[in-house]
Short mmCIF file of all heavy atoms in Angstrom, two decimals:
data_model
loop_
_atom_site.label_atom_id
_atom_site.label_comp_id
_atom_site.label_asym_id
_atom_site.label_seq_id
_atom_site.Cartn_x
_atom_site.Cartn_y
_atom_site.Cartn_z
N PRO A 6 0.88 -1.18 -0.01
CA PRO A 6 0.01 0.00 -0.02
C PRO A 6 0.86 1.24 0.00
O PRO A 6 1.79 1.40 0.80
CB PRO A 6 -0.81 -0.12 1.29
CG PRO A 6 -0.76 -1.59 1.68
CD PRO A 6 0.55 -2.09 1.11
N GLY A 7 0.53 2.12 -0.86
CA GLY A 7 1.28 3.39 -0.92
C GLY A 7 2.62 3.34 -1.58
O GLY A 7 3.39 4.35 -1.56
N VAL A 8 2.98 2.20 -2.26
CA VAL A 8 4.28 2.17 -2.87
C VAL A 8 4.37 3.26 -3.96
O VAL A 8 3.47 3.50 -4.72
CB VAL A 8 4.47 0.76 -3.52
CG1 VAL A 8 3.53 0.52 -4.64
CG2 VAL A 8 5.93 0.65 -4.09
N GLY A 9 5.56 3.88 -4.03
CA GLY A 9 5.74 4.90 -4.99
C GLY A 9 4.90 6.17 -4.69
O GLY A 9 4.72 6.95 -5.55
N GLY A 10 4.44 6.31 -3.48
CA GLY A 10 3.68 7.47 -3.15
C GLY A 10 2.21 7.40 -3.48
O GLY A 10 1.49 8.37 -3.43
N HIS A 11 1.69 6.25 -3.89
CA HIS A 11 0.30 6.12 -4.25
C HIS A 11 -0.39 5.05 -3.45
O HIS A 11 0.23 3.99 -3.09
CB HIS A 11 0.17 5.71 -5.72
CG HIS A 11 0.73 6.75 -6.66
ND1 HIS A 11 0.03 7.87 -6.97
CD2 HIS A 11 1.87 6.74 -7.34
CE1 HIS A 11 0.75 8.59 -7.87
NE2 HIS A 11 1.89 7.95 -8.06
N ALA A 12 -1.57 5.29 -3.10
CA ALA A 12 -2.39 4.30 -2.39
C ALA A 12 -2.76 3.18 -3.36
O ALA A 12 -2.70 3.38 -4.54
CB ALA A 12 -3.64 4.95 -1.78
N ALA A 13 -3.17 2.04 -2.78
CA ALA A 13 -3.45 0.92 -3.61
C ALA A 13 -4.60 1.23 -4.55
O ALA A 13 -4.61 0.79 -5.72
CB ALA A 13 -3.89 -0.30 -2.73
N GLY A 14 -5.58 2.08 -4.21
CA GLY A 14 -6.63 2.38 -5.08
C GLY A 14 -6.24 3.23 -6.28
O GLY A 14 -6.99 3.38 -7.24
N ASP A 15 -5.01 3.78 -6.25
CA ASP A 15 -4.65 4.70 -7.32
C ASP A 15 -4.01 3.93 -8.48
O ASP A 15 -3.68 4.52 -9.51
CB ASP A 15 -3.58 5.70 -6.84
CG ASP A 15 -4.16 6.68 -5.81
OD1 ASP A 15 -5.38 6.87 -5.88
OD2 ASP A 15 -3.41 7.17 -4.95
N ARG A 16 -3.85 2.64 -8.36
CA ARG A 16 -3.17 1.86 -9.42
C ARG A 16 -3.93 1.93 -10.74
O ARG A 16 -3.31 1.86 -11.81
CB ARG A 16 -3.01 0.45 -9.03
CG ARG A 16 -2.16 0.29 -7.71
CD ARG A 16 -2.15 -1.16 -7.22
NE ARG A 16 -1.68 -1.25 -5.92
CZ ARG A 16 -1.91 -2.27 -5.12
NH1 ARG A 16 -2.56 -3.27 -5.53
NH2 ARG A 16 -1.36 -2.30 -3.92
N GLU A 17 -5.24 2.02 -10.71
CA GLU A 17 -6.00 1.97 -11.89
C GLU A 17 -5.63 3.08 -12.91
O GLU A 17 -5.76 2.93 -14.04
CB GLU A 17 -7.54 2.13 -11.56
CG GLU A 17 -8.43 1.89 -12.77
CD GLU A 17 -8.39 0.46 -13.22
OE1 GLU A 17 -8.03 -0.47 -12.45
OE2 GLU A 17 -8.65 0.21 -14.43
N SER A 18 -5.17 4.16 -12.36
CA SER A 18 -4.71 5.27 -13.21
C SER A 18 -3.58 4.89 -14.19
O SER A 18 -3.37 5.44 -15.22
CB SER A 18 -4.29 6.47 -12.42
OG SER A 18 -5.37 6.98 -11.59
N TYR A 19 -2.75 3.94 -13.75
CA TYR A 19 -1.59 3.58 -14.52
C TYR A 19 -1.63 2.21 -15.03
O TYR A 19 -0.66 1.62 -15.55
CB TYR A 19 -0.35 3.70 -13.61
CG TYR A 19 -0.28 5.07 -12.95
CD1 TYR A 19 -0.51 5.19 -11.59
CD2 TYR A 19 -0.08 6.25 -13.70
CE1 TYR A 19 -0.50 6.44 -10.97
CE2 TYR A 19 -0.12 7.47 -13.14
CZ TYR A 19 -0.32 7.59 -11.76
OH TYR A 19 -0.29 8.80 -11.16
N GLY A 20 -2.86 1.56 -14.95
CA GLY A 20 -2.92 0.20 -15.37
C GLY A 20 -2.88 -0.71 -14.13
O GLY A 20 -2.61 -0.19 -13.01
N ARG A 21 -3.05 -2.02 -14.25
CA ARG A 21 -3.02 -2.86 -13.07
C ARG A 21 -2.41 -4.18 -13.35
O ARG A 21 -2.41 -4.61 -14.54
CB ARG A 21 -4.39 -3.03 -12.42
CG ARG A 21 -5.43 -3.58 -13.40
CD ARG A 21 -6.85 -3.43 -12.84
NE ARG A 21 -7.84 -3.88 -13.72
CZ ARG A 21 -8.35 -5.11 -13.79
NH1 ARG A 21 -7.90 -5.98 -12.92
NH2 ARG A 21 -9.28 -5.50 -14.66
N ILE A 22 -1.97 -4.90 -12.38
CA ILE A 22 -1.34 -6.23 -12.58
C ILE A 22 -2.55 -7.19 -12.50
O ILE A 22 -3.31 -7.23 -11.57
CB ILE A 22 -0.34 -6.51 -11.49
CG1 ILE A 22 0.81 -5.53 -11.61
CG2 ILE A 22 0.08 -7.87 -11.49
CD1 ILE A 22 1.83 -5.63 -10.51
N LEU A 23 -2.64 -8.01 -13.58
CA LEU A 23 -3.76 -8.90 -13.67
C LEU A 23 -3.31 -10.32 -13.08
O LEU A 23 -4.17 -10.95 -12.46
CB LEU A 23 -4.10 -9.15 -15.12
CG LEU A 23 -4.93 -7.97 -15.74
CD1 LEU A 23 -5.26 -8.30 -17.17
CD2 LEU A 23 -6.22 -7.74 -15.01
N ARG A 24 -2.16 -10.76 -13.33
CA ARG A 24 -1.80 -12.10 -12.91
C ARG A 24 -0.39 -12.06 -12.31
O ARG A 24 0.48 -11.44 -12.84
CB ARG A 24 -1.78 -13.07 -14.10
CG ARG A 24 -3.09 -13.25 -14.74
CD ARG A 24 -2.99 -14.25 -15.91
NE ARG A 24 -2.47 -15.51 -15.47
CZ ARG A 24 -3.20 -16.48 -14.97
NH1 ARG A 24 -4.47 -16.30 -14.78
NH2 ARG A 24 -2.68 -17.62 -14.52
N VAL A 25 -0.17 -12.82 -11.25
CA VAL A 25 1.15 -12.89 -10.69
C VAL A 25 1.20 -14.19 -9.87
O VAL A 25 0.21 -14.60 -9.29
CB VAL A 25 1.45 -11.66 -9.75
CG1 VAL A 25 0.57 -11.65 -8.54
CG2 VAL A 25 2.94 -11.76 -9.36
N SER A 26 2.37 -14.84 -9.91
CA SER A 26 2.56 -16.06 -9.13
C SER A 26 3.75 -15.87 -8.27
O SER A 26 4.90 -16.36 -8.58
CB SER A 26 2.76 -17.24 -10.08
OG SER A 26 1.70 -17.45 -10.91
N PRO A 27 3.65 -15.07 -7.16
CA PRO A 27 4.83 -14.83 -6.29
C PRO A 27 5.41 -16.03 -5.72
O PRO A 27 6.59 -16.14 -5.42
CB PRO A 27 4.24 -13.90 -5.30
CG PRO A 27 2.78 -14.14 -5.24
CD PRO A 27 2.40 -14.54 -6.64
N SER A 28 4.65 -17.11 -5.49
CA SER A 28 5.15 -18.26 -4.87
C SER A 28 6.21 -18.96 -5.77
O SER A 28 7.11 -19.58 -5.35
CB SER A 28 4.02 -19.32 -4.58
OG SER A 28 3.35 -19.65 -5.71
N ARG A 29 5.99 -18.83 -7.08
CA ARG A 29 6.91 -19.42 -8.00
C ARG A 29 7.94 -18.39 -8.54
O ARG A 29 8.82 -18.75 -9.25
CB ARG A 29 6.20 -19.97 -9.18
CG ARG A 29 5.50 -21.30 -8.90
CD ARG A 29 4.75 -21.80 -10.09
NE ARG A 29 3.43 -21.18 -10.16
CZ ARG A 29 2.60 -21.29 -11.17
NH1 ARG A 29 2.94 -22.06 -12.21
NH2 ARG A 29 1.41 -20.75 -11.18
N GLY A 30 7.74 -17.16 -8.16
CA GLY A 30 8.73 -16.16 -8.51
C GLY A 30 8.61 -15.72 -9.98
O GLY A 30 9.51 -15.12 -10.50
N VAL A 31 7.57 -16.12 -10.64
CA VAL A 31 7.45 -15.78 -12.03
C VAL A 31 6.03 -15.29 -12.37
O VAL A 31 5.11 -15.45 -11.59
CB VAL A 31 7.72 -16.98 -12.99
CG1 VAL A 31 9.17 -17.36 -12.86
CG2 VAL A 31 6.82 -18.16 -12.61
N GLY A 32 5.81 -14.62 -13.56
CA GLY A 32 4.52 -14.38 -14.05
C GLY A 32 3.84 -13.08 -13.56
O GLY A 32 2.98 -13.09 -12.75
N VAL A 33 4.40 -11.95 -14.08
CA VAL A 33 3.73 -10.69 -13.81
C VAL A 33 3.20 -10.22 -15.14
O VAL A 33 3.93 -10.08 -16.09
CB VAL A 33 4.73 -9.66 -13.24
CG1 VAL A 33 3.91 -8.31 -13.07
CG2 VAL A 33 5.20 -10.11 -11.90
N ALA A 34 1.92 -9.98 -15.26
CA ALA A 34 1.29 -9.53 -16.51
C ALA A 34 0.64 -8.23 -16.23
O ALA A 34 -0.19 -8.03 -15.35
CB ALA A 34 0.25 -10.52 -17.03
N LEU A 35 0.90 -7.20 -17.04
CA LEU A 35 0.37 -5.89 -16.91
C LEU A 35 -0.79 -5.66 -17.85
O LEU A 35 -0.67 -5.95 -19.04
CB LEU A 35 1.40 -4.80 -17.19
CG LEU A 35 2.59 -4.71 -16.20
CD1 LEU A 35 3.58 -3.68 -16.70
CD2 LEU A 35 2.12 -4.40 -14.79
N GLU A 36 -1.91 -5.20 -17.32
CA GLU A 36 -2.95 -4.81 -18.14
C GLU A 36 -2.60 -3.42 -18.62
O GLU A 36 -2.14 -2.55 -17.84
CB GLU A 36 -4.31 -4.70 -17.40
CG GLU A 36 -5.46 -4.24 -18.25
CD GLU A 36 -6.73 -4.01 -17.49
OE1 GLU A 36 -6.55 -3.76 -16.30
OE2 GLU A 36 -7.76 -4.11 -18.12
N GLY A 37 -2.73 -3.17 -19.93
CA GLY A 37 -2.39 -1.87 -20.54
C GLY A 37 -3.27 -0.74 -19.93
O GLY A 37 -4.31 -0.99 -19.47
N LEU A 38 -2.71 0.43 -20.01
CA LEU A 38 -3.47 1.55 -19.53
C LEU A 38 -4.71 1.69 -20.33
O LEU A 38 -4.74 1.37 -21.49
CB LEU A 38 -2.59 2.84 -19.68
CG LEU A 38 -1.19 2.73 -19.06
CD1 LEU A 38 -0.35 3.93 -19.45
CD2 LEU A 38 -1.28 2.54 -17.59
N ARG A 39 -5.78 2.16 -19.70
CA ARG A 39 -7.10 2.04 -20.24
C ARG A 39 -7.18 2.42 -21.69
O ARG A 39 -6.79 3.48 -22.19
CB ARG A 39 -7.99 2.93 -19.45
CG ARG A 39 -8.26 2.45 -18.04
CD ARG A 39 -9.21 3.35 -17.30
NE ARG A 39 -10.50 3.54 -18.00
CZ ARG A 39 -11.35 4.43 -17.68
NH1 ARG A 39 -11.11 5.20 -16.65
NH2 ARG A 39 -12.48 4.55 -18.32
N SER A 40 -7.68 1.46 -22.53
CA SER A 40 -7.87 1.62 -23.93
C SER A 40 -8.80 2.77 -24.19
O SER A 40 -9.78 2.92 -23.45
CB SER A 40 -8.40 0.34 -24.55
OG SER A 40 -8.54 0.47 -25.92
N PRO A 41 -8.64 3.57 -25.20
CA PRO A 41 -7.63 3.43 -26.26
C PRO A 41 -6.37 4.30 -26.02
O PRO A 41 -5.75 4.72 -27.01
CB PRO A 41 -8.41 3.94 -27.51
CG PRO A 41 -9.21 5.05 -26.91
CD PRO A 41 -9.59 4.64 -25.50
N CYS A 42 -6.08 4.59 -24.82
CA CYS A 42 -5.02 5.54 -24.59
C CYS A 42 -3.73 4.90 -24.08
O CYS A 42 -2.90 5.52 -23.47
CB CYS A 42 -5.49 6.57 -23.48
SG CYS A 42 -6.02 5.73 -21.97
#
């Protein structure tokens, strides 16, 4: 929460992480910033 000076709810402005498998240490997928921008 608040990483980079932003609250967790602010992530939508910059896109969001859709999938991650931290237990395996792999797999971060970024959803693109809101289409069509």
Side-chain angles (χ1 to χ4, degrees):
V8 64
H11 295 284
D15 294 334
R16 298 172 194 164
E17 189 65 28
S18 299
Y19 310 110
R21 57 194 176 93
I22 296 175
L23 285 181
R24 298 179 58 84
V25 65
S26 300
S28 61
R29 283 178 277 174
V31 294
V33 177
L35 294 177
E36 180 186 26
L38 308 175
R39 290 179 57 190
S40 180
C42 54

